[in-house]
Amino acid sequence: MGDRKVTYYYDPDIGDFYYGQGHPMKPHRVRLAHCLVTRYDLWRHLDIVRPRPARKCDLVEFHSPDYVDFLRAVTPGNQEELAAALKQFSVAGDCPIFDRMYQYCQIYAGASIGAAMQLNYGRADIAINWAGGMHHAKKAEASGFCYINDIVLAILELLKVHTRVLYVDIDVHHGDGVEEAFLTSDRVMTVSFHKYGDNFFPGTGDLGECGLAAGRGYAVNVPLRNGMDDASYEGLFRPIMTAIMERFRPEAIVLQSGADSLAGDKLGVFNLSIPGHGRCHAFLRAFGLPLLVLGGGGYKVKNVARCWAYET
C-alpha cells in the first residue's frame, strides 16, 4: 500500500436493506465484505468513514427532480396508488419497492459523492465504496436493480476539479447508465468490459457504440462472450487500458468493480478468479492517479465478500 492514503466508506445499516424474497440483489454482501476487512485487520490501513446520506439537492445534479420526489414518496404501502408513476419511472419487476428504499439510495449515493470529494480535496489517494456502483440507473428511470446512479454523481463531483475522468467497468453487464449520461462529453471516457449478445441484459454495449457529437470516440465497449477466463480477460484489459491511458490521459479514474464477472456467479457467465479480477485494480492503481473504487453487481454473496475484501 506504501504511503497512499485510502479512505473506505461504510455504513453499518447497509446490510439491513432487503429487496425482497427471491431477489438476487443482497445488500448484506457489503456487510460480509466489511466483516472480512475487519477480521483481516485491514482497517488499520484505512481511514474508515461513515457516509453522509445524499440530499435531494445532491441527487438532482443528475436525476430529474420529479423522479427523486417519487423515490422519496413511494413505499410498499402506497405503491398501488402510484401505479402510473411506477410505470413512468420503470420501478417494478427487477427494481421493486422495498422498505426504506430511498434511505438505501441516500446511503450508497452519499458515500460515492463523499468519496469523490475526498479525492478532490487531496485527503485520499484511493477511495472505496463497495455499496455503490449502480451503473444502470438513468436520469429518470430505474433499471437493473439500480435506482440512483451514484457513479454519475461521483464523476460529476470529480469533474469540478479534474479536466478528464476515466470510467472503467468490469461488471459482467454493460455500464449503460454511465455511458448514456456522458455520451456527448469529451471530458469523460467510459470503458466497459461485458458480456454482449444472446439477449443478455441490458442488450447494449456493442463495439460500434462509441459516443455522440463531441463525445464520439469517448465511449469504448469491449463486448465479450461466455466463459472469459483470467488469461483471456487480462489479454484484452491490459493492452486496451494501456492505449486508453496513453491517448486520453485522465486526471482521475473511477473503477466499477462488479463481482458478477467472477466464476460461479448466479447471473454472470464469465469465469474470472478473485486474483484475476483483482489484477484489474492493481493495473489501474499502478498509474498513481486519484482512484475511486465502487462495487456493482455480484450475486453469489460469499464470493462477492471475498472478492471485495481481497481488493480492499
Side-chain angles (χ1 to χ4, degrees):
M1 192 170 292
D3 58 356
R4 299 220 189 144
K5 296 176 289 185
V6 183
T7 300
Y8 172 98
Y9 278 79
Y10 178 71
D11 190 309
D13 293 338
I14 198 71
D16 295 336
F17 296 100
Y18 183 57
Y19 274 65
Q21 184 71 32
H23 198 288
M25 177 60 95
K26 311 288 187 187
H28 179 60
R29 66 206 175 128
V30 179
R31 178 181 284 162
L32 290 182
H34 182 71
C35 286
L36 291 177
V37 166
T38 303
R39 291 301 179 97
Y40 283 111
D41 282 344
L42 301 179
W43 61 270
R44 298 177 186 274
H45 307 281
L46 306 169
D47 178 18
I48 299 180
V49 177
R50 184 169 185 166
R52 177 185 64 79
R55 301 160 296 177
K56 179 183 175 180
C57 62
D58 300 316
L59 303 179
V60 298
E61 289 292 316
F62 171 60
H63 292 284
S64 65
D66 56 342
Y67 176 60
V68 175
D69 287 340
F70 164 75
L71 292 178
R72 189 162 55 172
V74 70
T75 67
N78 69 11
Q79 61 179 316
E80 290 185 9
E81 304 163 25
L82 300 172
L86 285 171
K87 186 175 181 181
Q88 176 187 349
F89 299 124
S90 300
V91 181
D94 66 354
C95 294
I97 303 300
F98 56 88
D99 286 333
R100 298 185 299 132
M101 184 181 74
Y102 184 68
Q103 286 75 19
Y104 169 64
C105 296
Q106 287 181 293
I107 289 172
Y108 76 72
S112 293
I113 295 167
M117 293 174 72
Q118 289 286 98
L119 296 174
N120 280 351
Y121 297 151
R123 295 175 185 160
D125 302 304
I126 300 170
I128 301 170
N129 173 30
W130 293 125
M134 302 301 177
H135 60 171
H136 295 306
K138 311 297 198 301
K139 187 177 182 70
E141 181 183 336
S143 176
F145 317 155
C146 307
Y147 304 87
I148 290 293
N149 198 315
D150 62 292
I151 306 170
V152 173
L153 295 169
I155 291 173
L156 290 172
E157 186 64 37
L158 289 171
L159 288 171
K160 294 176 181 178
V161 170
H162 304 282
T163 304
R164 293 177 303 281
V165 175
L166 174 64
Y167 171 69
V168 184
D169 191 315
I170 59 172
D171 194 291
V172 76
H173 300 94
H174 177 228
D176 59 334
V178 184
E179 179 184 295
E180 182 179 303
F182 298 106
L183 205 59
T184 60
S185 173
D186 60 1
R187 294 184 62 199
V188 178
M189 178 169 277
T190 60
V191 186
S192 180
F193 295 79
H194 53 267
K195 158 69 180 179
Y196 180 77
D198 306 321
N199 297 314
F200 194 75
F201 183 85
T204 53
D206 199 1
L207 205 59
E209 297 172 28
C210 57
L212 296 172
R216 185 163 180 79
Y218 291 86
V220 178
N221 285 299
V222 186
L224 305 170
R225 300 295 186 191
N226 292 7
M228 290 294 295
D229 60 14
D230 290 351
S232 302
Y233 200 92
E234 195 167 354
L236 290 166
F237 188 87
R238 282 181 170 270
I240 289 171
M241 294 313 307
T242 298
I244 284 170
M245 293 299 294
E246 290 173 353
R247 288 167 170 79
F248 184 58
R249 298 192 179 279
E251 295 179 0
I253 301 172
V254 177
L255 174 59
Q256 197 269 21
S257 187
D260 49 7
S261 44
L262 294 175
D265 189 83
K266 293 179 179 179
L267 299 185
V269 292
F270 290 170
N271 286 322
L272 298 189
S273 69
I274 289 173
H277 198 268
R279 281 195 288 274
C280 296
H281 285 249
F283 183 79
L284 294 175
R285 179 182 177 274
F287 288 97
L289 296 173
L291 176 62
L292 174 57
V293 176
L294 304 172
Y299 308 102
K300 191 167 185 178
V301 170
K302 291 180 180 179
N303 281 356
V304 177
R306 292 185 187 113
C307 181
W308 290 348
Y310 175 85
E311 289 166 346
T312 302

